[in-house]
Amino acid sequence: MHKSFLVWAAVLGALAVVLGAFGAHKLKELVPPETVSTFQTGVTYQFYHVFALLATGILFAQLPGSQLEWAGRCFIIGILLFSGSLYLLTVLKMTGNVGLRGIGILTPIGGVFFIAGWICLLSGILKLKA
């Protein structure tokens, strides 16, 4: 499982760089500044949780446990829901599509997965023998 967390972290990290560059250089030509800010929030949180996923994968390699396994899963799901929904909302704004506005409900659900991931990570760390 730890290898898959590390692979996910590498792929999502590379994607965050690509999306961050797009947001910094091209997106401001396509959408209003508040939408660029929303997009950037998605990139920022994706980066934070890529590092959390890397740490989880490294810890899991040394001390496998269900808490660390769930932490990694929660971080991945959180990135997909939280950051993914912000990216999707940006695309909807960019295309002028007013449908699917309900997609915004995924953002806080992704945030809950981030919180759950951090709690699982803490639980896994507390089980480490000093």
Side-chain angles (χ1 to χ4, degrees):
M1 180 60 72
H2 76 282
K3 183 177 179 182
S4 67
F5 289 158
L6 298 175
V7 168
W8 272 99
V11 169
L12 290 170
L15 182 60
V17 172
V18 169
L19 292 171
F22 171 73
H25 299 289
K26 184 66 176 166
L27 189 60
K28 60 186 163 197
E29 299 171 16
L30 304 171
V31 294
E34 66 273 6
T35 305
V36 174
S37 178
T38 298
F39 186 86
Q40 190 57 44
T41 298
V43 172
T44 300
Y45 275 78
Q46 183 169 336
F47 263 125
Y48 292 157
H49 292 88
V50 159
F51 292 119
L53 189 55
L54 279 172
T56 301
I58 292 166
L59 285 170
F60 190 85
Q62 300 304 313
L63 186 71
S66 63
Q67 294 85 4
L68 293 177
E69 187 172 342
W70 276 105
R73 290 175 179 167
C74 287
F75 291 140
I76 292 167
I77 293 168
I79 290 169
L80 295 175
L81 293 179
F82 184 91
S83 296
S85 66
L86 295 179
Y87 303 147
L88 186 54
L89 287 170
T90 301
V91 169
L92 291 173
K93 184 79 164 189
M94 192 169 41
T95 61
N97 188 340
V98 292
L100 298 175
R101 291 282 183 216
I103 213 81
I105 191 64
L106 295 177
T107 310
I109 294 170
V112 169
F113 273 97
F114 284 153
I115 295 165
W118 286 107
I119 291 169
C120 289
L121 180 58
L122 173 63
S123 178
I125 290 169
L126 291 175
K127 291 190 182 253
L128 291 172
K129 297 195 184 343

